Amino acid sequence: ACSSKYVLSQVHPMWQEPLAVPGGDRQSPIDIVVRKSVFDPRLKPLTPQYDPRTCQQIWNNGYSFLVEYDDTTDKSTLKGGPLEDQFRLCQFHFHWGENNSWGSEHTVDRRLYPAELHLVHWNSDKYSLFEEAVMEENGLAVIGVFLKIGKRHEGLQKLVDALPAIRHKGSAVEFTKFDPACLLPKNIDDYWTYAGSLTTPPLTEAVTWIVMKQHIEVSHDQLAVFRSLLFTSAEEEVQKSMVNNFRVQQPLKGRTVRSSFT
Ligand SMILES: COc1ccc(CNS(=O)(=O)c2ccc(S(N)(=O)=O)s2)cc1
Ligand SMILES: [Zn+2]
């Protein structure tokens, strides 16, 4: 899978913002200014095709919790939208706040959401491993979906029920037959897309971001379980709640955000 090898141990705690990334002119996240986004009629509908049988495990990497997929074959893929190539799903994870007032990484006209889902894919037409793709400018495609507090999300509950088993950094449990498509909004044809980066170290400028216009709803209690996770491993004396695991917004530096809708 894509991220287990990407141990972030060599980096300092993510939230002490690293100094500007050398030559960083396409960093993420950003504020999406709707009236400055440019409609691009050439943008096609996104065609995610996920096979729940490729779901393998859920684990706490000390920054978020990740649901990892077997990305050794083209069984769970993403094509279309702004993408020229075929991308393989390797994992999804979330970012959230300590309360429901903030937590998302991207914002829309400065509007913050309580959480944001990221589905991470890598370009399997051009590269043979995630670790290669993560260093290339067309290497990754991440779908961002905003979460809002509202009715309970039935599909999310299986994931919420697994969280107590991975409270500490480094813990993992088997997690199978989960279809990530259930976490996508009804309408996936309306999105913004721009050239950006990973929002955590190594912050590489390898990501085509695809941010959904339509959010999904989760219940207050479901999101509260996210906050019961810990940044710290079982051995550490001081336990720290896993909250506010989002990066601060980055300068647009002249980039254009395109929209698939008018
Ligand atoms: C939330 O903290 C995380 C989440 C996931 C990882 C796994 N490593 S990774 O290389 O797949 C990614 C790093 C950052 C990514 S983002 N937020 O731009 O989609 S994906 C590490 C830290
Ligand atoms: Zn993320």
Side-chain angles (χ1 to χ4, degrees):
C2 62
S3 53
S4 40
K5 297 179 220 44
Y6 232 96
V7 179
L8 294 146
S9 58
Q10 78 276 23
V11 295
H12 42 68
M14 179 155 60
W15 313 127
Q16 293 160 0
E17 265 303 293
L19 297 176
V21 179
D25 53 11
R26 51 173 281 192
Q27 288 292 294
S28 295
I30 60 169
D31 175 44
I32 295 167
V33 182
V34 175
R35 71 186 180 291
K36 289 190 180 162
S37 62
V38 178
F39 169 61
D40 184 346
R42 298 166 305 174
L43 287 170
K44 304 182 188 68
L46 264 184
T47 53
Q49 289 189 307
Y50 299 141
D51 179 346
R53 291 170 302 179
T54 56
C55 189
Q56 289 182 316
Q57 68 166 3
I58 186 170
W59 71 294
N60 177 333
N61 73 345
Y63 293 86
S64 180
F65 65 91
L66 315 177
V67 176
E68 289 193 326
Y69 286 74
D70 167 20
D71 59 357
T72 55
T73 66
D74 274 334
K75 284 215 185 79
S76 288
T77 60
L78 176 66
K79 290 198 292 281
L83 306 174
E84 304 292 317
D85 298 319
Q86 173 168 274
F87 288 69
R88 255 180 221 171
L89 175 69
C90 57
Q91 52 100 337
F92 69 81
H93 63 271
F94 298 80
H95 303 260
W96 60 90
E98 62 191 90
N99 59 48
N100 293 333
S101 307
W102 64 76
S104 63
E105 296 211 301
H106 292 90
T107 50
V108 179
D109 290 343
R110 292 282 164 211
R111 173 183 180 168
L112 287 156
Y113 288 84
E116 184 173 334
L117 159 66
H118 289 158
L119 295 132
V120 182
H121 312 74
W122 57 273
N123 189 328
S124 56
D125 279 349
K126 293 223 165 41
Y127 309 107
S128 47
L129 282 176
F130 170 82
E131 282 75 9
E132 281 173 45
V134 77
M135 306 310 283
E136 305 295 334
E137 65 167 345
N138 58 359
L140 303 181
V142 182
I143 296 176
V145 182
F146 295 116
L147 275 64
K148 255 183 84 174
I149 301 299
K151 63 184 187 326
R152 181 183 141 102
H153 192 295
E154 291 311 325
L156 186 75
Q157 196 52 39
K158 177 181 173 184
L159 188 153
V160 168
D161 290 339
L163 297 185
I166 57 163
R167 279 196 79 210
H168 289 101
K169 172 180 173 184
S171 45
V173 290
E174 188 187 50
F175 192 72
T176 57
K177 294 192 282 297
F178 185 84
D179 180 4
C182 83
L183 297 177
L184 295 173
K186 280 184 296 301
N187 172 11
I188 61 167
D189 292 340
D190 291 358
Y191 57 82
W192 294 282
T193 181
Y194 76 97
S197 74
L198 295 179
T199 66
T200 73
L203 300 172
T204 44
E205 300 184 331
V207 182
T208 298
W209 277 97
I210 300 163
V211 179
M212 290 294 147
K213 180 185 176 202
Q214 194 174 61
H215 61 266
I216 60 170
E217 280 191 17
V218 303
S219 71
H220 176 281
D221 292 354
Q222 287 179 314
L223 197 53
V225 180
F226 285 24
R227 302 190 187 103
S228 70
L229 293 173
L230 300 168
F231 278 130
T232 44
S233 58
E235 299 74 42
E236 295 178 61
E237 315 72 67
V238 181
Q239 297 295 328
K240 280 178 274 179
S241 291
M242 184 180 276
V243 294
N244 301 329
N245 56 355
F246 53 83
R247 189 188 192 195
V248 295
Q249 308 220 311
Q250 302 297 308
L252 193 56
K253 298 245 175 138
R255 286 173 283 179
T256 299
V257 176
R258 292 182 290 159
S259 65
S260 67
F261 61 97
T262 52

